[in-house]
Structures are given as structure tokens and as C-alpha cells.
Amino acid sequence: MSTLISQLNAILHKNAGTRVNGKVASERTKSATGEHLKASFRLLLDLNYRLTNPENLSEKHVKALCEYWYKNKYAAKSIQSNLSYLRKFCRWIGKANMVKNVSHYLPDVPPSELRVKSSATRSKSWAENGIDVAKKVIEADAIDKRFGLMLRIAVAFGLRRHEIMQCCPWKVDRGDRFAAYQTKGGRPRDIYIDTAEQRIVLDQIKKLVKKNEYLGWQTKHNGQTASIESNLGKWHRMLAKIGITKKDSNVSGHGLRAQYAENAALIASVIPPTLGGSGGQMAKEDLDLKRAQVSEKLGHSRISITSAYYGSFGRNNTPDSPNRTKDAIAAAVQAIPLAKINDIPHDRMEDCIRLTTELMMANAYVDPRLAHALWEYHSSRHCTAWLTPGENNIAALEAASNHFTQLQTSGALKT
């Protein structure tokens, strides 16, 4: 394997720094290209293909990779992305037209299964897939304290994996916002600190990371200075150690970014489609404005990109029923397990009275202990036992209600 990877590194060094249009490729592009290609060639070796020279790549190898990716339930987008990198590699070695469309290699698979869907049809977040984020962070801490910090900052600020590694916690802290600057495409963005818990996370990380340090690992296991590529490889290995893979848990590290997007929408009083929201919850111009604000926090300029994170609102903007919240809460009353209806701790009582009052204003009359159970679940989405309520909390309470009702409907929850 070492010989194969060494030869691949030589090809990458010669070619990965230049884009097809002749312009210089960014460090992120070079790193991603190398990461994906090495993963594909390592997989071929695991599949018992005795490649000794990467330039001997042939269609039978590409077909074997596609069959493996499909069999192991890789997303259509991931398969297409992997093929794109192989296509780029083949141009470098003089085999420009060798890599075909994915359907060529999987002729028996319905084309609809291989088509990339730009809008999320179900939540990609860890929380909505039954994962207790706080517990995973504790597991991460036990393996590698810095890894635990990375997961915390991913939940709190929705950073991409490259951004996590290249983040300098002291430099990005601008008081009321997180000034991300090592970003995709080099486009800086301000992520405003909307919750007390975000501030706590950033302050906690700053206590454990030196002022001139990046959050990524500083050295490799052999003591050499770590690179972005080695950090990304370790990131995925660490995720696998705590059971975060598509195969084991049906989510990926990127699911925390999707969870942040859903949380940001809820803070803006928008219920995402992946959490039961529709396009009729407010006037279209108001909805578009809020979606644009969430998109900016994620580092995008187009409103449409939010659908990839939390689903499409569709084109039917018929106003929702005025009893929507009332009905959602009523359904949750029947769905929430009795074990979750606990006495309210004294330090949460004032918050729960406030939440219950908000629900009453929406004609949803409930026991404050139910409001406590709903907010406790919403808090877990932010990786905290109790999130300080914001100015408007109805969207979050309703989304939490939808969560419990959906679990009951699917049979995953016993009351």
C-alpha cells in the first residue's frame, strides 16, 4: 500500500494544485482531492485488487467501487462526488474519457436511486436520528479531549470540518459573533452568538486552546506537524470510534452542521420542513428573509441552499391553520412518555412558566411539566441539559412536539 500511496502522492503533487481552467487550486480543494482519491485506492486494496501503480486504474476498478458504494448505502451525492474525483484523476493520467456515468456501472439499479436530490427529505441531524449528542461528546472527550471540543464547536456554530480544523478560537471571537475566516471558497462570515450556550462553548474552548493555536490537532501520532489532510483523516477515524458513520448510525459528521441549520431556523421562529414545518407558517417574503439569514450563517448566499440542510418548503404557501400550534401540542400530550413528565427543578421554574405562558398565548394550554419536557428535548439539540429560552420559543416547542408525535407514529416511542 505504501508504494501505491507514494506514487499517488507524486501525481497529486504534480497536478492537484491547478484547476481545469488553469487557475491555482485552493488548499482546501487540493486537500479534498487527495483525501477522496486515497480513500478510493485504499478501498480497492481492501477489495483485493492488487494495484501497484495508480495509473493502472481501469473501468473494472471503477465498477467495483460503485458496486461497493451502492451496496453499503452511500448517498447518491457521495457516489457522484467520488466519481468526479476519479474523473479528474483520469484526466491527469491520460484517460480522460474512461470514467462513465454511475448508471453505466450500476445498470440494474433504478435511475431514481442514483439521482442526486438537492433537497433533504428527512433530517440529517444527529438528534432527529436518535443520537444523544451530549453523550457522544462525552465519549469523544474520553478518547481525545480536543476531539470533544471539535464536536462542541460544530454543534454551536455549524462549521464545516475544514473550518473546525483551521479555526483559531481566540481570533474568531468578536464578542457578539464568531468571525469565521478560514472558510470554503475563502469567503468570511459572521455567525452571531444567539444563545448563552454558544458563548459558554467558545469560552470553554478558549480556556483549553492557546491563543496562537488552531483547534485542529497540532501533531500526528509520530510527532510530526499535522496537516489538514492528516487532521481530516483523524476526524473521520474518531467519528467512527464513537459510532458516527452512515453504516452504524445513519448520520455523518456533517449531520451536526445540518442540526445547527435546523436550530438556527428555530431561533428565527421558522420550523424547517425536516422538523414538520411548511411554507404556510408565515408570509413568503418573511420566510425568504429568515431563510436568507440562516443561509448567511452557513456561509452561503443563495436561499435555495437551505433546502439541502433542512428540506424544501415547496411552492404551496397556503397559510397554515391558526390552530396549528395548538394541535401540535395536543398531539404531543398523547405522545410524550410519562417518564419524561418530571417535576420541574427550582432553577428552571421561571423559564417553564415563561414557556407555558407563550403556549397559552397560542391557545395551547398545558401542564408546565409538559413545557419542561419539550424544552428539555430542544435543549439536547444544542448539546446542553437546559438551553436559556430566547425571545420567541414557539417554533422550537412546536418542533419538539412534532418530534415526539413522529416517534409515536413510527412506533419508536412507547408512552
Side-chain angles (χ1 to χ4, degrees):
M1 178 183 290
S2 59
T3 301
L4 179 68
I5 298 302
S6 294
Q7 292 177 328
L8 179 56
N9 279 334
I11 296 172
L12 286 165
H13 180 74
K14 181 180 178 181
N15 299 280
T18 306
R19 295 181 179 275
V20 176
N21 60 10
K23 293 185 178 180
V24 176
S26 68
E27 287 300 320
R28 180 186 178 280
T29 297
K30 290 191 289 185
S31 176
T33 301
E35 177 190 349
H36 282 82
L37 287 175
K38 288 176 186 178
S40 292
F41 278 101
R42 287 190 178 109
L43 178 55
L44 284 171
L45 294 178
D46 290 341
L47 295 174
N48 294 319
Y49 284 94
R50 303 303 179 190
L51 270 172
T52 57
N53 186 333
E55 293 193 33
N56 291 335
L57 186 74
S58 68
E59 277 205 74
K60 73 174 182 180
H61 298 124
V62 179
K63 180 176 176 61
L65 288 170
C66 287
E67 290 174 345
Y68 176 88
W69 293 328
Y70 177 74
K71 181 181 178 181
N72 287 274
K73 299 181 180 180
Y74 280 53
K77 184 175 181 179
S78 295
I79 296 176
Q80 297 280 19
S81 178
N82 289 339
L83 281 179
S84 177
Y85 285 110
L86 288 174
R87 215 170 267 121
K88 179 191 293 187
F89 173 78
C90 286
R91 285 199 300 269
W92 296 343
I93 63 173
K95 300 180 179 180
N97 298 314
M98 190 184 82
V99 179
K100 308 294 192 302
N101 187 281
V102 63
S103 295
H104 174 79
Y105 302 109
L106 301 172
D108 297 327
V109 177
S112 59
E113 291 188 29
L114 302 174
R115 192 173 299 122
V116 176
K117 301 176 179 65
S118 58
S119 296
T121 55
R122 51 176 290 279
S123 179
K124 302 174 183 177
S125 69
W126 289 17
E128 292 303 309
N129 282 277
I131 295 171
D132 187 323
V133 182
K135 286 184 178 179
K136 288 300 178 185
V137 168
I138 292 172
E139 287 181 42
D141 285 339
I143 297 172
D144 185 298
K145 185 64 179 178
R146 192 169 287 249
F147 179 46
L149 298 179
M150 292 176 186
L151 294 185
R152 287 179 175 86
I153 208 165
V155 176
F157 297 102
L159 304 183
R160 302 176 178 94
R161 54 186 184 168
H162 285 78
E163 295 169 349
I164 293 171
M165 303 304 162
Q166 296 177 292
C167 162
C168 181
W170 285 87
K171 186 175 180 179
V172 300
D173 188 357
R174 303 297 172 83
D176 64 340
R177 63 195 188 281
F178 182 109
Y181 60 94
Q182 293 279 20
T183 62
K184 181 179 180 180
R187 180 187 177 211
R189 68 182 185 277
D190 286 333
I191 306 170
Y192 283 89
I193 296 176
D194 296 313
T195 69
E197 284 65 28
Q198 286 174 299
R199 167 48 58 192
I200 290 171
V201 165
L202 188 52
D203 287 345
Q204 178 185 11
I205 292 173
K206 286 168 63 180
K207 288 179 181 179
L208 298 171
V209 176
K210 296 177 182 178
K211 290 185 177 181
N212 61 345
E213 273 188 358
Y214 292 107
L215 186 53
W217 291 282
Q218 305 300 295
T219 58
K220 297 190 284 187
H221 68 280
N222 59 6
Q224 294 181 351
T225 301
S227 64
I228 288 294
E229 183 180 282
S230 66
N231 269 342
L232 291 176
K234 186 171 182 177
W235 163 259
H236 288 292
R237 290 193 298 274
M238 289 291 180
L239 285 172
K241 282 186 177 181
I242 61 172
I244 300 299
T245 65
K246 282 288 187 178
K247 183 177 181 181
D248 293 336
S249 55
N250 203 35
V251 295
S252 65
H254 200 67
L256 289 182
R257 184 164 158 83
Q259 187 157 315
Y260 169 82
E262 290 174 341
N263 289 344
L266 293 173
I267 289 172
S269 296
V270 173
I271 305 173
T274 50
L275 303 184
S278 75
Q281 57 190 290
M282 62 184 68
K284 186 178 184 304
E285 56 269 27
D286 293 330
L287 182 60
D288 285 348
L289 174 60
K290 292 178 182 292
R291 288 175 63 198
Q293 292 170 341
V294 174
S295 183
E296 289 288 342
K297 288 182 178 180
L298 292 167
H300 295 287
S301 56
R302 293 178 292 117
I303 290 178
S304 59
I305 200 68
T306 59
S307 64
Y309 291 95
Y310 52 61
S312 171
F313 289 95
R315 297 184 179 181
N316 181 8
N317 294 312
T318 302
D320 290 346
S321 165
N323 293 323
R324 188 197 70 216
T325 301
K326 175 183 176 182
D327 293 342
I329 300 298
V333 170
Q334 305 300 318
I336 296 178
L338 292 176
K340 292 188 176 292
I341 309 297
N342 301 313
D343 290 337
I344 303 171
H346 178 73
D347 60 345
R348 298 179 183 177
M349 184 62 72
E350 186 176 338
D351 286 343
C352 289
I353 291 173
R354 175 181 174 181
L355 295 170
T356 305
T357 300
E358 283 193 61
L359 290 173
M360 290 175 62
M361 293 177 67
N363 294 319
Y365 298 91
V366 298
D367 183 327
R369 292 178 302 169
L370 183 93
H372 176 266
L374 292 173
W375 197 255
E376 199 166 46
Y377 169 72
H378 176 66
S379 298
S380 73
R381 291 182 53 89
H382 291 261
C383 195
T384 185
W386 189 256
L387 182 76
T388 304
E391 292 184 10
N392 300 294
N393 306 291
I394 287 294
L397 290 164
E398 188 173 337
S401 299
N402 295 339
H403 167 78
F404 285 110
T405 303
Q406 177 59 35
L407 285 181
Q408 184 188 51
T409 301
S410 66
L413 185 68
K414 294 183 180 179
T415 58

